[in-house]
Amino acid sequence: MSMKDIFLAEFKQENWDSFVVSFTDRYLEVDPKLVESAKQKGIPADICQVLLCEMGEYALSWVNKKVPALGDQSPASYLGHKDGENALRAAIMQMPR
């Protein structure tokens, strides 16, 4: 079983929705240029909201790095299809804070 499959099995939409809401106020302070850059990279708005609040500009390069917790795949490799994006959402919720 791949890491993507493991994270996908753990994904719960209602948990993600609550998690994203917790970043609403901070997201209002994020530079709109960063938001536009994330959008151009194909990062979904909800994932963008969390990553930019937590990582700032670093999130834009992080999505292209191989991440051991993601099975040495890049977060970008999870994007573009619903199951991959949901697996990434579950992984993001488990990131240390």
Side-chain angles (χ1 to χ4, degrees), residues 3-66:
M3 291 305 295
K4 191 180 293 185
D5 293 333
I6 292 169
F7 285 122
L8 182 59
E10 295 177 3
F11 179 72
K12 302 285 185 265
Q13 186 67 52
E14 60 276 3
N15 293 347
W16 174 254
D17 292 341
S18 295
F19 185 71
V20 171
V21 167
S22 70
F23 292 91
T24 301
D25 291 338
R26 287 177 46 204
Y27 190 60
L28 295 173
E29 299 172 11
V30 172
D31 184 343
K33 291 178 185 176
L34 292 179
V35 175
E36 183 58 31
S37 293
K39 183 178 178 180
Q40 289 177 358
K41 288 184 173 280
I43 303 172
D46 59 333
I47 294 174
C48 173
Q49 181 169 326
V50 173
L51 292 181
L52 290 178
C53 287
E54 292 209 316
M55 296 181 176
E57 189 173 356
Y58 177 70
L60 301 176
S61 61
W62 177 81
V63 299
N64 294 312
K65 296 182 183 287
K66 290 183 178 181

